[in-house]
């Protein structure tokens, strides 16, 4: 029995970690596949709309069966909140992020996505959700330092592409013939793509801050994500008309693109959202966010080894700098949590005693 109990405890300990790592690997692979589909000329918001429709279809049964007894009544205010949630977290974030993906690579876009905790911290300071006084403490200084390193990595990714260091499909003859105008156009698109990727990640950060308050108002995560996906599918459909209004954009005949959309909707949107939400509930958002660079590693390996996309020196150096900054930031965040834990031991002990007492003793308190 003790062996079985030990096995169960190990499973309980590592299952959230495996879930968040698996979710981040899936997100990285989705980014690489979507990049390949976008290079084929598909309207990126058509992919976004179909992706959210599939997500809503997958999550609707889960929301109905798992939360039907605990689901609060949907009010007009909650509908507006979920509309805003879809606009920030799925529509505008995908609109800019996938434009950045189109103009750069899955590696670069993944690097900006791994900066999410630092960008969220910066926005929380701007919106005064984070105390300015905390910046004078050691954890606060570490978070600021990590944020600046992340910003430095982002600037390096944006302004320095560097030489190509590896490409499966490089031919010596092709490397000697370059069109200067074409190179300048690619450089402009690269910088523009990095700006778009930053904007997409910023909207995702705003969604995380907004979702924090929405989760308190409406704690049913499956229903909430389903509603967000429904609103986002219509919003993405409207945003798809920014370039051209052609009904043919919605008729997808390429089997590869169809598979990418299905994979992005089922795995990249619905399953990863559920896995991430469950992992955050088990181990906390800070610990879960430390696995963000897995997205970057997954996208890079998938992009390079399977899709044979070339790697550039600037992308690697900038990505390493971004990851270093991220972990300095998370180090400061962890120190901050330790400080709060040491300041409030009586409350923790009281809660522990209350959990061990019977129902009668709780009533007496």
């Amino acid at each position: 029995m003790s062996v079985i109990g030990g096995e169960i405890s190990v499973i309980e300990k590592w299952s959230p970690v495996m879930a968040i790592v698996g979710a981040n690997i899936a997100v990285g692979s989705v980014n690489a596949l979507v990049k390949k589909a976008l290079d084929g000329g598909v309207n990126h918001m058509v992919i976004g709309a179909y992706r959210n429709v599939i997500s809503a279809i997958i999550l609707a049964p889960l929301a109905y069966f798992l939360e039907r007894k605990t689901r609060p009544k949907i009010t007009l205010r909650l509908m507006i909140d979920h509309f805003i949630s879809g606009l920030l977290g799925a529509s505008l974030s995908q609109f800019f992020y996938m434009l950045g993906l189109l103009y750069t690579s899955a590696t670069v876009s993944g690097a900006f996505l791994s900066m999410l905790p630092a960008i969220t911290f910066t926005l929380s300071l701007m919106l005064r959700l984070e105390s300015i006084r905390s910046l004078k403490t050691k954890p606060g200084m570490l978070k600021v330092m990590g944020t600046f390193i992340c910003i430095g990595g982002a600037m390096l990714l944006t302004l320095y592409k560097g030489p190509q260091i590896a490409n499966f499909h490089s031919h010596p003859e092709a490397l000697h013939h370059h069109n200067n105008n074409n190179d300048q156009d690619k450089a402009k698109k690269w910088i523009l793509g990095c700006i778009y990727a930053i904007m997409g990640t910023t909207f995702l950060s705003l969604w995380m801050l907004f979702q924090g308050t929405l989760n308190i108002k409406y704690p049913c995560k499956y229903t909430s994500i389903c509603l967000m996906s429904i609103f986002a599918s219509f919003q993405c459909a409207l945003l798809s008309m920014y370039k051209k209004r052609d009904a043919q954009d919605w008729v997808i005949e390429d089997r590869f693109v169809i598979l990418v959309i299905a994979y992005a909707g089922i795995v990249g949107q619905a399953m990863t959202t559920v896995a991430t939400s469950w992992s955050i509930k088990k181990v906390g958002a800070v610990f879960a966010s430390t696995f963000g660079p897995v997205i970057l590693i997954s996208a890079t390996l998938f992009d390079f080894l399977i899709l044979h996309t070339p790697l550039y020196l600037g992308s690697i150096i900038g990505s390493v700098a971004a990851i270093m900054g991220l972990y300095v930031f998370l180090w400061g965040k962890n120190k901050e949590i330790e400080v709060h834990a040491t300041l409030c031991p009586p409350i923790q002990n009281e809660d522990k005693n209350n959990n061990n007492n019977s129902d009668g003793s709780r009533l007496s308190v």
Side-chain angles (χ1 to χ4, degrees):
M1 291 297 292
S2 62
V3 176
I4 295 174
E7 290 178 353
I8 293 173
S9 64
V10 170
I11 293 172
E12 290 177 351
K13 180 180 178 180
W14 288 103
S15 55
V17 175
M18 297 302 295
I20 194 66
V21 169
N24 287 342
I25 290 173
V27 170
S29 64
V30 165
N31 287 346
L33 289 170
V34 169
K35 166 65 177 173
K36 195 74 172 179
L38 292 175
D39 288 342
V42 182
N43 188 321
H44 70 292
M45 292 316 291
V46 170
I47 294 178
Y50 280 136
R51 177 176 178 171
N52 280 286
V53 168
I54 293 171
S55 173
I57 292 172
I58 295 296
L59 292 174
L62 291 173
Y64 177 76
F65 289 109
L66 297 179
E67 297 175 340
R68 57 182 174 178
K69 295 181 180 180
T70 59
R71 188 184 301 114
K73 183 181 178 181
I74 297 289
T75 62
L76 178 61
R77 177 62 187 176
L78 283 172
M79 293 291 283
I80 295 172
D81 286 342
H82 283 96
F83 178 87
I84 297 171
S85 177
L87 189 65
L88 294 175
S91 302
L92 292 176
S93 60
Q94 286 192 68
F95 179 82
F96 289 107
Y97 184 79
M98 284 200 283
L99 272 179
L101 191 62
L102 176 62
Y103 292 145
T104 56
S105 66
T107 300
V108 174
S109 299
F112 286 111
L113 196 60
S114 68
M115 300 177 197
L116 192 61
I119 294 175
T120 305
F121 170 68
T122 304
L123 288 174
S124 66
L125 282 176
M126 294 171 64
L127 297 172
R128 295 186 178 180
L129 299 175
E130 186 87 13
S131 175
I132 302 295
R133 293 179 181 177
S134 64
L135 301 183
K136 297 180 181 179
T137 63
K138 183 179 179 180
M141 288 187 288
L142 284 172
K143 289 196 292 182
V144 171
M145 187 186 302
T147 301
F148 276 114
I149 295 173
C150 279
I151 292 171
M155 292 179 65
L156 191 60
L157 280 166
T158 304
L159 301 175
Y160 178 67
K161 188 175 183 180
Q164 180 177 303
I165 60 172
N167 185 5
F168 281 113
H169 295 309
S170 294
H171 298 286
E173 298 83 10
L175 295 176
H176 296 289
H177 300 284
H178 293 289
N179 188 313
N180 290 332
N181 292 330
N182 190 35
D183 287 347
Q184 290 178 0
D185 186 54
K186 286 183 178 179
K188 290 179 180 178
K189 285 186 175 180
W190 183 272
I191 295 174
L192 192 61
C194 291
I195 295 171
Y196 283 144
I198 293 173
M199 292 175 67
T201 307
T202 301
F203 276 112
L204 192 58
S205 296
L206 286 171
W207 171 78
M208 292 183 71
L209 295 173
F210 181 81
Q211 194 70 15
T213 58
L214 181 57
N215 285 338
I216 298 172
K217 297 179 186 177
Y218 199 80
C220 299
K221 59 181 178 295
Y222 296 109
T223 305
S224 182
I225 296 166
C226 183
L227 287 172
M228 184 190 81
S229 299
I230 292 171
F231 281 120
S233 61
F234 289 103
Q235 293 163 357
C236 288
L238 290 174
L239 288 170
S240 69
M241 296 188 291
Y242 88 103
K243 210 171 189 180
K244 60 178 181 177
R245 301 178 183 181
D246 191 353
Q248 284 298 116
D249 287 348
W250 296 87
V251 181
I252 299 175
E253 298 178 349
D254 191 327
R255 291 183 178 180
F256 173 74
V257 177
I258 293 172
L259 289 174
V260 168
I261 292 173
Y263 181 72
I266 297 170
V267 178
Q269 189 87 7
M271 293 178 64
T272 57
T273 304
V274 172
T276 303
S277 299
W278 179 76
S279 299
I280 290 173
K281 183 179 179 181
K282 290 288 184 180
V283 298
V286 175
F287 184 78
S289 67
T290 60
F291 295 92
V294 174
I295 298 175
L296 172 60
I297 297 168
S298 171
T300 302
L301 292 177
F302 203 91
D303 207 23
F304 178 65
L305 297 176
I306 298 177
L307 300 180
H308 307 309
T309 303
L311 283 176
Y312 295 92
L313 182 62
S315 300
I316 294 176
I317 297 175
S319 299
V320 170
I323 292 174
M324 288 175 61
L326 173 66
Y327 279 108
V328 170
F329 172 84
L330 293 172
W331 181 23
K333 189 68 177 177
N334 186 58
K335 289 286 185 184
E336 186 179 60
I337 292 172
E338 290 178 356
V339 170
H340 285 302
T342 55
L343 290 175
C344 308
I347 296 175
Q348 292 178 349
N349 292 333
E350 184 180 350
D351 290 339
K352 186 176 180 180
N353 292 332
N354 288 338
N355 290 332
N356 292 331
N357 290 335
S358 61
D359 293 338
S361 62
R362 288 181 184 176
L363 290 174
S364 63
V365 174

